[in-house]
Amino acid sequence: MDLFAKVDAKSYEIHGRLLICQICGHDEFHRREAQLTTAALSFFNLDWANASAICFVCEKCGHIHWFLPK
Ligand SMILES: [Zn+2]
């Protein structure tokens, strides 16, 4: 399975604003959910267990935009 198949990419709104890639300005992303590891949790200075993040991978340049649900 190709995780980066073009058909999967689409535009998303975050808090009512269109998500735009910080690097290349593209507006289509692949949405992924990622379980945060202990190392990631300490990196972000978080202390809750089993946190998961939403990430949007730019379809054009591959830059990952991370979001931590509150
Ligand atoms: Zn990009």
Side-chain angles (χ1 to χ4, degrees), residues 2-70:
D2 182 4
L3 289 177
F4 295 95
K6 173 127 179 115
V7 291
D8 190 34
K10 46 180 192 169
S11 61
Y12 293 92
E13 284 189 1
I14 306 295
H15 292 293
R17 299 190 58 171
L18 188 66
L19 181 63
I20 301 292
C21 178
Q22 296 173 351
I23 303 302
C24 72
H26 196 59
D27 64 355
E28 290 191 318
F29 298 85
H30 304 278
R31 186 183 189 278
R32 295 287 180 265
E33 283 191 35
Q35 198 74 27
L36 292 179
T37 64
T38 304
L41 290 170
S42 54
F43 176 80
F44 289 117
N45 199 26
L46 305 174
D47 58 2
W48 64 81
N50 299 319
S52 62
I54 310 295
C55 53
F56 296 93
V57 183
C58 176
E59 186 267 332
K60 192 170 180 182
C61 75
H63 184 70
I64 303 175
H65 302 65
W66 290 85
F67 294 89
L68 287 171
K70 290 179 180 166

